[in-house]
Amino acid sequence: MTRLLFVALLGLAAAASLLAPQWSRAQSLAGYYHDLVTRLRGPTTVQAAGSTVVLPADVFNTGLGTANAPTLLLSAGDDALVLATSGCRDSPAPLAACRLAAPLQPAGSAVAEYIVRIAPSARNVVVVGLTATADGVDAQPENNESFAVIAVVRRVALQARLLSRTTFPDGNQSVLVRIENTGPSDTQELRVDWQVSPGSLPVSAQCSVIGTGRCPGNTQLGRLDPGASLVYSFAFPPFTAQTPNMGLMLSATTSDASETGNGNTLSLSWSDPISSDGFE
């Protein structure tokens, strides 16, 4: 008798394990569980690294239970930074976790927006993910996530301009030139070339960085983040009777980004205006 009872209990346990998924589904259909579904909408056009985009985020409750305290979480690693949100309880705070202001009733939906800045150093594509959570049990957690793929290119605006030209009491001259990247992307393959006239004039140049960047060298190219600058100091000798005129032509180019505008070149010329005898 005891053996028969043990066998019967084993049979009931096996039946319960087989019926567990169906029982969970039945509870879901009966309204015990919610079912959140997300949709993240990214831009359909190519974006410049460093630019700002708006990502609408939709969330739907397709279950029969209420989703309490629904929250949307945006994740993109180091490729994007949340600047602000709308449609969230704490909007427009720059929070990756967007807590909706009200529960989602069955068949309910809500829309939030993420204002995101793409990293200036982003390359090729940026993948942004959205995950929805809520208090309670989700009937199908596999549809809580969605992704947006943003195609990215690099665009820079290089500006070269004269800061100052100074003549010292001994006749030596200094020319300061500033090269600025007004963005929106960065460049890590910056080249700066210059030529002086006459070509045999002995000229030395020193480069310094304002902001985040790197001066070009003999073995490596330069780097310049948006808003950063390179300042070149050129040391010219005094005028002479043989050299009453001087000039400088400088250009800044990049090989890893497209350039906007035409301010990346600078052409300067100056002379001894009084007697052309080598003394200004």
Side-chain angles (χ1 to χ4, degrees):
M1 182 65 181
T2 303
R3 181 179 178 85
L4 292 176
L5 179 60
F6 179 73
V7 172
L9 290 175
L10 287 178
L12 289 174
S17 65
L18 292 174
L19 291 174
Q22 290 79 1
W23 175 247
S24 297
R25 179 65 64 182
Q27 287 182 310
S28 174
L29 295 176
Y32 285 95
Y33 298 158
H34 59 262
D35 183 15
L36 296 181
V37 180
T38 61
R39 181 180 62 179
L40 184 63
R41 291 175 282 157
T44 57
T45 57
V46 177
Q47 303 295 309
S51 61
T52 299
V53 296
V54 178
L55 304 177
D58 302 305
V59 58
F60 309 89
N61 181 11
T62 61
L64 298 180
T66 300
N68 293 305
T71 301
L72 300 174
L73 178 63
L74 192 79
S75 59
D78 296 329
D79 288 331
L81 175 67
V82 178
L83 301 179
T85 57
S86 65
C88 310
R89 188 175 63 177
D90 299 320
S91 292
L95 299 174
C98 167
R99 172 79 175 271
L100 300 181
L104 277 181
Q105 302 297 329
S109 63
V111 179
E113 283 187 343
Y114 284 92
I115 295 88
V116 172
R117 181 174 183 250
I118 302 172
S121 59
R123 302 286 187 278
N124 301 322
V125 296
V126 172
V127 180
V128 184
L130 182 72
T131 304
T133 60
D135 292 343
V137 180
D138 194 295
Q140 299 184 77
E142 62 272 13
N143 58 17
N144 290 18
E145 295 182 339
S146 61
F147 299 90
V149 179
I150 305 172
V152 174
V153 297
R154 279 184 172 185
R155 295 193 181 100
V156 298
L158 300 175
Q159 300 290 330
R161 60 188 178 91
L162 174 67
L163 289 181
S164 66
R165 187 181 72 84
T166 305
T167 301
F168 298 102
D170 61 359
N172 286 296
Q173 304 170 73
S174 173
V175 175
L176 291 181
V177 176
R178 181 171 185 169
I179 302 170
E180 183 180 11
N181 177 16
T182 59
S185 311
D186 73 356
T187 171
Q188 297 186 18
E189 298 180 6
L190 178 67
R191 183 184 299 276
V192 179
D193 299 297
W194 67 83
Q195 181 179 2
V196 297
S197 59
S200 60
L201 196 68
V203 172
S204 62
Q206 291 184 339
C207 173
S208 58
V209 181
I210 300 176
T212 305
R214 181 182 63 241
C215 291
N218 294 329
T219 60
Q220 62 180 355
L221 297 175
R223 173 191 170 192
L224 207 52
D225 284 359
S229 302
L230 302 181
V231 176
Y232 277 85
S233 174
F234 293 92
F236 283 82
F239 285 116
T240 66
Q242 292 75 29
T243 312
N245 301 287
M246 297 183 183
L248 171 67
M249 180 172 290
L250 178 145
S251 65
T253 56
T254 175
S255 54
D256 65 344
S258 60
E259 296 184 51
T260 60
N262 55 1
N264 62 322
T265 60
L266 179 68
S267 180
L268 303 173
S269 62
W270 61 97
S271 63
D272 173 8
I274 299 177
S275 58
S276 297
D277 60 358
F279 296 93
E280 193 170 16

